[in-house]
Amino acid sequence: VAAGFLMSGGGGNDVQWCFSQVKGAIDDDVAEADIISTVEFNHSGELLATGDKGGRVVIFQQEIENKSQQQCRSEYNVYSTFQSHEPEFDYLKSLEIEEKINKIRWLPQKNAAQFLLSTNDKTIKLWKISERDKRPEGYNLKEEDGRYRDAATITTLQVPVFRPMDLMVEASPRRVFANGHTYHINSISVNSDNETYLSADDLRINMWHLEITDRSFNIVDIKPANMEELTEVITAAEFHPHQCNTFVYSSSKGTIRLCDMRASALCDKHSKLFEEPEDPSNRSFFSEIISSISDVKFSHNGRYMMTRDYLSVKIWDLNMENRPVETYQVHEYLRSKLCSLYENDCIFDKFECCWNGNDSVVMTGSYNNFFRMLDRSQRRDVTLEASRESCKPRQVLKPRRVCAGGKRKKDEISVDSLDFNKKILHTAWHPQENIIAVATTNNLYIFQEKVN
């Protein structure tokens, strides 16, 4: 096994990744509605939710083969599927509002039911996912089929009882948070107080209470008085995992602002500004486009944050604003191809990134259905591929290498043969185990650590 492929994902023990499952249709002609637009594990990792362009949410549940053995192979099977959003039309602006799910965020579990927030461009919904395995029988006033009895015919009373039935998983919308955004929502993030959450669009960030749907508080507004003076937009926003007063938002200019809600009600003045001065030697026509940040994620321990721009992943220490503590090139070989990537609009693709459970490895996607694992402790990285060719159960993923120029080695792939229509924008990592979910266009691949 190539040295770069062994990642210390589990705290020092080298991890080999192997294929576990693939979800979704295998045909080559992909329906637009089936394209996956977000992937998210819940806090225990037992449930995995995906949203798609057709407005559907599909939840998978982890089923462990052998509960007694800790390190045992587990599978994710469909638990619940529901239509979260429908297409709408804004008659005032003559605009169609897509049903596409932009983000899903789970709420920490408080009782037997699970709750998640899902959003399209305009409307956020709080969904309750609950199980029913008993049904009441023996009503006095109605028949078993639901028809009401004539009260005059009732001569005896009986006590209704619960009888076992096949398990039903119900998804019901508990709250609809509408009319809070003029522009398209790109982020939602649940606060660590578990009572509030934020939603961000291109120019504003709002804070909501989970129980109150008819009003939200505007906490950031970067809209200029004259829209012709607009120079940047908000691209992502997230609450700190432990400090309920702190959140960050990133911009299309490559800056990240950290705000403290204790300072003022409107957080237009940031507490910290994270920005790296540009390297003059890399300056080009595309510099501004590729410096736009597509995702920002706090580490689980709350000490660091990770940002993803078009070509790189940067890790920032919250105590140091002037430069990142770590920078990883995701696909540096594309720097010479920016012109053609601009022409085919790929340069505007928004790649997401995620941390593993103990913040030692980060993962992000690339083109040709490649995804990158970046090991922070050992400063090693590896490129892996989500493809149908490696779909045999427990098949170990082989590292991929891209040849940027010069003589191509036997196992290398030439930059010119990469497929830019196959891209991995959305990935998720199980919060406690080495299980990852990787979304290709309309398929969800699940890989896990090889267990000997």
Side-chain angles (χ1 to χ4, degrees):
V1 176
F5 173 46
L6 294 163
M7 310 295 287
S8 65
N13 305 328
D14 284 336
V15 173
Q16 276 184 288
W17 291 96
C18 65
F19 171 80
S20 175
Q21 292 169 276
V22 59
K23 307 287 186 186
I26 318 175
D27 11 321
D28 286 329
D29 42 333
V30 177
E32 180 81 3
D34 293 338
I35 295 175
I36 296 171
S37 53
T38 183
V39 183
E40 189 78 6
F41 279 102
N42 75 339
H43 294 266
S44 67
E46 188 203 351
L47 299 176
L48 171 62
T50 65
D52 65 24
K53 281 197 170 181
R56 294 177 300 249
V57 171
V58 181
I59 301 173
F60 301 94
Q61 184 181 41
Q62 186 178 24
E63 290 177 23
I64 294 164
E65 276 181 10
N66 189 339
K67 290 261 179 15
S68 61
Q69 282 178 287
Q70 273 288 290
Q71 286 216 305
C72 193
R73 188 178 149 76
S74 59
E75 288 214 332
Y76 281 83
N77 296 316
V78 174
Y79 179 65
S80 175
T81 304
F82 58 93
Q83 188 72 33
S84 171
H85 288 69
E86 302 279 358
E88 292 175 63
F89 193 78
D90 184 333
Y91 292 97
L92 286 175
K93 298 198 179 90
S94 290
L95 280 177
E96 281 185 40
I97 301 167
E98 279 189 305
E99 65 272 41
K100 173 186 162 218
I101 308 294
N102 292 342
K103 285 283 183 290
I104 290 171
R105 289 292 178 265
W106 291 91
L107 272 62
Q109 191 172 4
K110 293 198 179 95
N111 53 29
Q114 295 275 0
F115 289 85
L116 63 80
L117 289 166
S118 64
T119 185
N120 67 349
D121 284 341
K122 297 285 178 188
T123 306
I124 305 150
K125 295 185 181 180
L126 175 68
W127 289 89
K128 177 184 182 182
I129 294 96
S130 53
E131 296 184 353
R132 270 226 323 245
D133 60 356
K134 293 185 178 64
R135 68 160 181 261
E137 279 183 13
Y139 287 108
N140 290 295
L141 298 177
K142 58 182 179 182
E143 306 285 354
E144 294 303 332
D145 61 7
R147 287 177 302 138
Y148 279 90
R149 290 180 184 158
D150 179 2
T153 64
I154 300 171
T155 54
T156 58
L157 290 178
Q158 58 181 345
V159 178
V161 290
F162 275 113
R163 294 253 185 265
M165 62 174 228
D166 290 343
L167 179 69
M168 260 176 62
V169 180
E170 295 177 316
S172 53
R174 301 315 295 258
R175 306 267 183 281
V176 177
F177 305 90
N179 309 321
H181 287 275
T182 309
Y183 307 99
H184 290 178
I185 298 170
N186 55 47
S187 306
I188 48 176
S189 177
V190 181
N191 197 345
S192 58
D193 65 10
N194 297 336
E195 287 188 350
T196 55
Y197 72 92
L198 66 75
S199 56
D201 67 24
D202 300 328
L203 297 177
R204 299 189 180 103
I205 300 175
N206 293 339
M207 185 168 164
W208 304 79
H209 194 286
L210 284 161
E211 299 294 327
I212 301 167
T213 57
D214 58 356
R215 65 179 180 273
S216 63
F217 293 99
N218 179 230
I219 51 176
V220 171
D221 187 347
I222 65 165
K223 183 175 186 275
N226 178 4
M227 279 295 267
E228 285 174 12
E229 292 164 15
L230 183 68
T231 57
E232 66 179 328
V233 293
I234 297 166
T235 55
E238 189 176 54
F239 267 121
H240 190 280
H242 313 305
Q243 297 164 8
C244 61
N245 52 283
T246 306
F247 68 94
V248 292
Y249 67 94
S250 59
S251 90
S252 55
K253 277 195 165 171
T255 60
I256 310 101
R257 292 174 173 86
L258 182 137
C259 302
D260 188 337
M261 293 192 292
R262 296 171 301 187
S264 67
L266 191 64
C267 299
D268 283 353
K269 292 189 174 67
H270 50 264
S271 308
K272 292 185 176 184
L273 176 70
F274 298 85
E275 185 174 19
E276 185 175 30
E278 193 192 358
D279 179 358
S281 65
N282 279 337
R283 179 94 195 126
S284 75
F285 169 75
F286 305 107
S287 294
E288 213 159 284
I289 301 172
I290 64 172
S291 66
S292 175
I293 291 171
S294 53
D295 196 16
V296 58
K297 292 265 171 53
F298 279 107
S299 60
H300 295 91
N301 63 17
R303 170 72 189 271
Y304 301 97
M305 69 178 170
M306 162 169 53
T307 59
R308 172 75 155 94
D309 57 42
Y310 190 65
L311 293 178
S312 64
V313 165
K314 293 174 181 172
I315 312 279
W316 302 79
D317 187 320
L318 294 189
N319 303 323
M320 189 167 96
E321 297 162 61
N322 59 343
R323 62 186 170 84
V325 287
E326 297 159 37
T327 300
Y328 301 95
Q329 300 307 326
V330 176
H331 36 218
E332 185 62 19
Y333 47 81
L334 295 183
R335 197 177 283 278
S336 59
K337 297 266 177 264
L338 292 176
C339 202
S340 52
L341 290 163
Y342 178 73
E343 283 166 11
N344 64 17
D345 277 355
C346 284
I347 201 166
F348 302 107
D349 285 336
K350 291 177 169 44
F351 291 95
E352 294 170 9
C353 50
C354 64
W355 300 83
N356 73 339
N358 63 9
D359 301 330
S360 63
V361 183
V362 299
M363 172 170 61
T364 191
S366 179
Y367 293 103
N368 208 59
N369 282 353
F370 288 169
F371 59 98
R372 302 269 286 142
M373 296 253 178
L374 312 162
D375 187 320
R376 298 179 59 214
S377 54
Q378 305 191 18
R379 291 301 177 111
R380 295 197 304 210
D381 61 274
V382 64
T383 303
L384 301 173
E385 183 182 4
S387 79
R388 303 236 175 85
E389 279 70 69
S390 51
C391 277
K392 295 188 188 75
R394 308 184 196 210
Q395 181 177 348
V396 172
L397 297 189
K398 289 194 179 73
R400 301 291 184 203
R401 287 188 183 79
V402 177
C403 169
K407 196 166 185 306
R408 187 166 68 87
K409 295 197 185 109
K410 184 167 68 83
D411 58 344
E412 287 184 334
I413 297 126
S414 149
V415 177
D416 298 317
S417 62
L418 296 175
D419 187 340
F420 292 107
N421 292 317
K422 293 180 173 175
K423 56 192 87 167
I424 290 175
L425 303 175
H426 316 287
T427 61
W429 201 310
H430 189 294
Q432 280 126 28
E433 298 173 50
N434 279 327
I435 298 174
I436 56 172
V438 170
T440 60
T441 314
N442 65 325
N443 293 119
L444 182 73
Y445 284 83
I446 296 169
F447 302 106
Q448 55 187 21
E449 180 180 357
K450 184 171 189 275
V451 180
N452 296 328

